[in-house]
Amino acid sequence: MMDRPLIFAANWKMNHGPGEARAFARKFLPLTSPLQGRRLWFFPPAVSIGALSEALHGRPDITVGAQNVHWEPKGAFTGGISIPMVAEVGARLTLVGHSERRHLFGETDEQVARKTRAALKAGITPLVCVGETLAERDGGRTEQVIVRQLASVIQALQIEDWDKVVLAYEPVWAIGTGKNATPDDAAQIHELIRMELGRHEIRNRVPILYGGSVNAGNVAWLLTRPQLDGVLVGGASLDPDTWAELVDQGSRAKVRPSGGYGVLEA
Ligand code: PGA
């Protein structure tokens, strides 16, 4: 079986307008080179997708995506942005169900499933996020929450759709807090997710990223676990030097079970 790619995903959240995005790209591009099997993904605010896509154009290892989309292609949804619109300005991916969307904006499992299905239908790769809150973790409900969040997406998709889906496990208590899951904690939930996928014959197809206060200092520690296919990073992706350093540290650390990475081929 082919290795799943090693993915470094930058979620800029509500940071970097078009001018800042261009300036980031100018600084970042010379700091990294394409490596086989490694992908660098950027999720800027919607208004910066076009500028960033243009600025990063020509790098086959880099892809730009949206942070959120509506499931309808157009219509009376004030403030909404549709998948064809973000695709027109260069997005090839979209985050779906990030915990800030779920918990600050009240996005439901059902909406997450609709957005995932709509993205696939439009030919855009959904990066679907799941994760438990601190209260859910403390209440011993981590497994139950993850299984529930996955179930709504699994129900909405066909088996063959899973070739084009990426998942991220992001414990809500670790996002922007400086607290990390340990590599063992993260690996354990990644295993749980794979087991759930396995019950639907999709165990090995889907890359699973880890997110939550990942930085250049801890990325190597986390990526020693073969269960992690990459990282989804907020705060530490905003500065080009810091992000390039994180990508470099993570790439060096990653050892794939089948012998890929470790020393990455140029
Ligand atoms: P953080 O955010 O790296 O700032 O914790 C991660 C995320 O929300 O995707």
Side-chain angles (χ1 to χ4, degrees), residues 80-190:
I81 297 180
S82 75
I83 299 166
M85 290 172 190
V86 296
E88 187 180 337
V89 289
R92 298 290 170 264
L93 310 155
T94 184
L95 292 179
V96 184
H98 186 275
S99 72
E100 284 151 19
R101 300 298 317 169
R102 290 180 191 263
H103 297 290
L104 300 177
F105 298 96
E107 202 162 290
T108 63
D109 289 338
E110 204 238 318
Q111 290 170 336
V112 170
R114 288 175 88 164
K115 290 179 183 195
T116 305
R117 205 173 39 209
L120 286 165
K121 204 167 151 215
I124 293 267
T125 301
L127 169 43
V128 182
C129 307
V130 297
E132 81 286 8
T133 63
L134 186 59
E136 288 162 344
R137 181 183 176 84
D138 288 348
R141 298 201 306 280
T142 299
E143 190 169 331
Q144 189 188 325
V145 169
I146 306 278
V147 169
R148 189 204 73 220
Q149 290 173 338
L150 280 176
S152 62
V153 179
I154 289 171
Q155 271 163 25
L157 303 187
Q158 308 292 317
I159 288 186
E160 55 278 12
D161 291 332
W162 285 91
D163 287 334
K164 288 163 248 136
V165 177
V166 178
L167 293 174
Y169 168 55
E170 295 206 303
V172 179
W173 49 270
I175 295 179
T177 58
K179 286 187 200 142
N180 277 118
T182 64
D184 283 340
D185 283 341
Q188 192 191 337
I189 303 297
H190 282 227

Side-chain angles (χ1 to χ4, degrees), residues 4 187 194 222-229 254-257:
R4 293 183 296 268
R194 278 225 186 276
L222 287 158
L223 285 179
T224 53
R225 292 298 181 277
Q227 289 86 350
L228 277 62
D229 295 306
K254 192 64 184 159
V255 179
R256 306 299 272 181

